């Protein structure tokens, strides 16, 4: 096994934490902006995404502090498109989830063959983010 690059791992975990915390705000905002006949299940979906983003931020923070890092108190920038149709919100969600997927893949390339635990954690998160992108793509099919 190779040595774990602690500095890079801590940096990436902080970036992930900031991004996931931004997801809490993003998805909470989306849940408030949904209108129309399908509002209730879509609001529930966005609220669940916000809750899950908070859990992901907490998981990253626990690992971060466990390996000696200091968690950031920032969140990633959140762009406001002012486009709030369900289709627009789902497209923005898909972009957000794909960006998260890319971050976890960066973390995997850093921890792979250096820490079994971190590698397994990261692979699990990649699987979760891939599932989110699949679900969002399925939800968007009705809008094409």
């Amino acid at each position: 096994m190779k040595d774990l690059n602690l500095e890079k791992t801590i940096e990436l975990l902080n970036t992930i934490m900031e991004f996931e915390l931004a997801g809490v705000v993003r998805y909470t905002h989306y849940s408030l902006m949904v209108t129309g006949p399908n509002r209730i299940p879509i609001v529930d979906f966005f609220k669940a995404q916000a809750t899950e983003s908070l859990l992901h931020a907490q998981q990253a923070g626990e690992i971060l502090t466990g390996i000696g890092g200091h968690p950031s108190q920032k969140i990633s920038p959140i762009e406001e498109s002012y486009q709030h149709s369900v289709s627009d919100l789902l497209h923005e969600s898909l972009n957000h989830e794909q960006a998260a997927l890319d971050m976890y893949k960066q973390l995997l390339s850093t921890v792979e063959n250096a820490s079994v635990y971190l590698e397994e954690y990261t692979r699990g998160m990649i699987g979760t983010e891939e599932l989110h992108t699949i679900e969002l793509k399925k939800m968007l099919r009705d809008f094409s």
Side-chain angles (χ1 to χ4, degrees):
M1 289 188 90
K2 67 181 184 181
D3 289 335
L4 179 64
N5 182 339
L6 265 178
E7 185 178 323
K8 183 70 173 170
T9 301
I10 288 169
E11 176 188 327
L12 286 168
L13 285 168
N14 253 322
T15 301
I16 287 168
M17 222 180 101
E18 292 171 4
F19 192 78
E20 292 287 6
L21 287 172
V24 175
V25 175
R26 173 186 299 277
Y27 287 124
T28 300
H29 175 77
Y30 290 172
S31 75
L32 299 169
M33 298 309 299
V34 176
T35 60
N38 297 314
R39 178 178 170 7
I40 293 171
I42 295 170
V43 166
D44 289 344
F45 169 77
F46 284 133
K47 285 181 178 180
Q49 291 299 108
T51 300
E52 188 169 297
S53 288
L54 179 57
L55 176 64
H56 290 175
Q58 291 168 334
Q59 288 173 318
E62 288 292 346
I63 294 169
L64 174 68
T65 56
I67 61 174
H70 184 271
S72 168
Q73 293 189 38
K74 298 184 250 176
I75 67 168
S76 297
I78 305 168
E79 293 181 25
E80 170 60 78
S81 69
Y82 297 98
Q83 303 299 312
H84 297 113
S85 73
V86 172
S87 176
D88 290 327
L89 297 177
L90 292 174
H91 275 101
E92 288 180 24
S93 297
L94 180 58
N95 291 338
H96 179 78
E97 294 297 329
Q98 288 174 325
L101 182 57
D102 291 341
M103 285 183 213
Y104 285 109
K105 285 180 178 180
Q106 281 184 297
L107 181 60
L108 180 61
S109 70
T110 300
V111 302
E112 198 168 30
N113 296 318
S115 168
V116 172
Y117 174 73
L118 291 175
E119 189 174 335
E120 291 298 318
Y121 156 77
T122 307
R123 287 182 186 281
M125 295 308 296
I126 289 170
T128 298
E129 299 301 342
E130 285 179 345
L131 181 58
H132 289 166
T133 61
I134 289 168
E135 288 297 327
L136 285 162
K137 287 176 184 176
K138 287 171 71 174
M139 291 171 79
L140 281 163
R141 284 187 192 155
D142 280 352
F143 295 101
S144 56

